[in-house]
Amino acid sequence: MGGGARELAGYLAALAGWVAGLAAAVLPQWRQSSYAGDAIITAVGLHEGLWMSCAAQSTGQVQCRLHDSLLSLEVHIQTCRALMVISLLLGFFGIIVSVVGMKCTKVGEEDPVTKSRIAVAGGVLFVLSGLCTLAAVSLYATQVTYEFFRESTIPINTRYEFGSALFVGWGAASLSMLGGSLLCCSCPAKERRGQQYHQQSQPSTAQEYV
């Protein structure tokens, strides 16, 4: 795969990861009611996310309510919120920086070495964004697992288990880090310097023969 194709593939993968990360941050299904056990004792399915909690009736009605107070939230939810916001900001700046540094764009064509370094900087931002998403989702999943096995006196079908947003978040983190890594690998600085040195040395050699 050529450098330009690798950059484009990395950028598209990272962009898809950023969009998926945004969807994961907004979705309320970070944890949901467990339907394990012998019988379902309630017709209401409960979902909780970083920003709101929802109740889905068996009739298909869904009612959502935003979390009332930031300070009253549990520490792991506040931490996951902060990590997801940082991840989205890093990814947003990574999108802008990568567009400037990619070979397929016309910005900064007169200095290819600096242009490739800008693309690498965009890749680093995407990798950091993916790491923040991975940390947020894994922290929340760890807390859900801990509470599921800790509350042994509560019936298993009234506990919480992993929601779909966690899997979307893991996928988003993987795409962001993969795309950022591809962008980081497309830095032909040594090649460019070698070509420039070869071009500069040709006139002097010709003058010696004259």
Side-chain angles (χ1 to χ4, degrees), residues 4-5 14-15 24 48 51-52 59 72 80 95 102 106 112 121 125 130 155 159 162 167 172 174-176 202:
L15 181 61
E48 289 190 9
W51 313 98
M52 65 180 70
T59 57
S72 65
C80 292
I95 292 171
M102 289 173 63
K106 301 295 183 181
L125 289 173
R159 303 178 201 173
F162 294 171
F167 300 99
S174 302
L175 285 172
S176 294
Q202 281 181 347

Side-chain angles (χ1 to χ4, degrees), residues 13-200:
L15 181 61
W18 185 82
V19 173
L22 177 62
V26 174
L27 285 173
Q29 287 90 5
W30 280 61
R31 68 174 185 171
Q32 62 187 15
S33 300
S34 174
Y35 294 102
D38 297 331
I40 299 174
I41 62 174
T42 177
V44 180
L46 300 177
H47 306 276
E48 289 190 9
L50 299 181
W51 313 98
M52 65 180 70
S53 57
C54 298
Q57 305 286 341
S58 57
T59 57
Q61 257 185 333
V62 179
Q63 295 178 337
C64 295
R65 179 176 61 86
L66 293 173
H67 295 316
D68 295 329
S69 172
L70 173 65
L71 299 178
S72 65
L73 291 175
E74 297 179 22
V75 176
H76 74 280
I77 296 180
Q78 296 184 29
T79 305
C80 292
R81 272 187 176 186
L83 286 171
M84 289 304 296
V85 170
I86 293 171
S87 170
L88 293 174
L89 287 175
L90 288 172
F92 176 76
F93 289 120
I95 292 171
I96 298 174
V97 172
S98 298
V99 168
V100 176
M102 289 173 63
K103 293 179 182 177
C104 57
T105 60
K106 301 295 183 181
V107 183
E109 282 186 323
E110 63 279 357
D111 191 353
V113 175
T114 303
K115 190 174 175 67
S116 64
R117 288 175 179 171
I118 293 173
V120 171
V124 171
L125 289 173
F126 278 127
V127 171
L128 292 175
S129 173
L131 288 174
C132 287
T133 301
L134 180 63
V137 175
S138 300
L139 174 62
Y140 198 97
T142 301
Q143 185 67 24
V144 171
T145 305
Y146 171 73
E147 292 179 356
F148 185 90
F149 291 105
R150 182 192 63 179
E151 299 171 350
S152 56
T153 58
I154 300 176
I156 192 171
N157 49 12
T158 60
R159 303 178 201 173
Y160 285 97
E161 61 184 19
F162 294 171
S164 56
L166 292 182
F167 300 99
V168 174
W170 277 315
S174 302
L175 285 172
S176 294
M177 289 189 290
L178 173 62
S181 300
L182 288 175
L183 285 169
C184 289
C185 291
S186 59
C187 182
K190 293 182 180 178
E191 247 180 69
R192 298 288 183 183
R193 285 174 186 168
Q195 290 175 1
Q196 288 176 0
Y197 176 79
H198 179 68
Q199 290 173 358
Q200 289 173 0

Side-chain angles (χ1 to χ4, degrees), residues 197-209:
Y197 176 79
H198 179 68
Q199 290 173 358
Q200 289 173 0
S201 62
Q202 281 181 347
S204 60
T205 307
Q207 287 175 4
E208 287 177 5
Y209 282 107

Side-chain angles (χ1 to χ4, degrees), residues 1-10 182:
M1 185 185 290
R6 184 167 55 243
E7 279 185 353
L8 184 59
L182 288 175

